[in-house]
Structures are given as C-alpha cells and as structure tokens.
Amino acid sequence: MNTGSDRGTHGSAAEDATTEAAAGSTAEAAAEAAEAAEETPHVSKAPAFIKRNRSLHLSWQVGVFIVGLAVIGAGIAMLVLPGPGWVAIFAGLAIWATEFAWAHLVLRWTKRKVTEAAQKALDPKVRRRNIILTSVGLVIAGALIGFYLWKYGLVLPWSLKDQ
C-alpha cells in the first residue's frame, strides 16, 4: 500500500502522465499531462535523511528561506547598483521554490509571463512600433541636446568657479 510518504522511490503522477503523453503523440495527452503536473503537490527537494527528522527539516527550510532572502535582497540592491538585479531576484525565487509550494507557483507564473512577453516582443508589429518610438525619442533627445549646446555651449548649467 502506497501512503505517499515514500515519494522518492516511486514516480509521481506527473511523471506517469508525462510518460503516457510521450507514448501517445496527441496534443490532448500532452495537455492532460500538463494539467496533472500542475495538480501534483509540491515535494521538498531536501535530502531524504533531512526529511525524516521533522526538526532537521524545519531547520533546512529556515536555512533555505534565509539564503533565498539574501539572494533576493542582493537582487533588489542590484536594481539600483550595478549588477544583474532581476537575475538575482529570480534566482532567489528559484531557491525558495525548492522548498516552498507558494514560491514554486509564483516562479511558474513568472516564467509563463516572461515567455508571453518575449513572444509579444518578437511580434513584427510590436517590434516595428518599438523601433519607431525609440527613433522618435532619440531624435527628440538629440534636438534638446543640440539646442542646449547651441544656446550655452559646453558650459555646465551651474558655475563651479564661485565655490
């Protein structure tokens, strides 16, 4: 009798559904496999010896939370400072997703939205609009810089000689 407590030795329902979807090449089987994968409960990625002891597993989760929080905090700092801020934020979320179901759901939603945005950005109409808007913005910025240089030259707007 499988009580679900030994998930490491048996395949999950998502793996079984994925195997069945691979065997049948229909789109319906793939859709059913995706739905089954979304419905399966989140399983901790902690080693088995840590999962066996409740207090050790709780300590593991606290450690994962602190490490993920530190990476996300560094990512937020890198949004202002030099560095790959968004990459660090998503990496911290991925660290949390190894232990927490809510972070796994947020990470999956984020991946889906980023993929949708990338597909939308590759649409020829959207690309053409973005190129036109960028060109107009550069022309306006160039005109403003040109006007400033024509009017004032290469002099700063404040005088540093008076100080």
Side-chain angles (χ1 to χ4, degrees):
M1 180 169 127
N2 184 9
T3 60
S5 61
D6 55 347
R7 291 184 184 146
T9 59
H10 299 291
S12 66
E15 292 172 351
D16 295 340
T18 306
T19 306
E20 291 173 9
S25 62
T26 63
E28 294 175 4
E32 290 175 9
E35 289 176 11
E38 289 182 8
E39 293 174 2
T40 57
H42 179 73
V43 180
S44 173
K45 303 282 191 282
F49 73 93
I50 290 177
K51 286 193 244 184
R52 276 188 239 127
N53 187 346
R54 177 126 171 92
S55 61
L56 191 58
H57 190 240
L58 184 62
S59 301
W60 176 271
Q61 287 181 330
V62 168
V64 167
F65 183 81
I66 291 171
V67 169
L69 187 64
V71 172
I72 288 176
I76 290 172
M78 282 188 274
L79 290 176
V80 180
L81 302 171
W86 286 110
V87 173
I89 290 172
F90 293 137
L93 193 58
I95 290 170
W96 278 349
T98 62
E99 285 299 313
F100 304 110
W102 60 268
H104 185 72
L105 293 173
V106 169
L107 187 62
R108 189 170 48 203
W109 178 84
T110 305
K111 284 180 182 178
R112 189 175 64 243
K113 290 297 181 182
V114 166
T115 303
E116 289 173 7
Q119 290 298 322
K120 187 176 179 183
L122 293 175
D123 181 27
K125 291 180 182 178
V126 175
R127 288 184 69 204
R128 191 175 312 117
R129 183 198 64 201
N130 289 344
I131 289 171
I132 290 170
L133 287 174
T134 302
S135 300
V136 168
L138 288 173
V139 167
I140 290 172
L144 291 173
I145 291 171
F147 175 76
Y148 178 84
L149 291 175
W150 172 73
K151 181 105 173 150
Y152 301 106
L154 288 175
V155 179
L156 297 174
W158 56 89
S159 177
L160 297 176
K161 297 174 190 171
D162 295 340
Q163 294 181 2

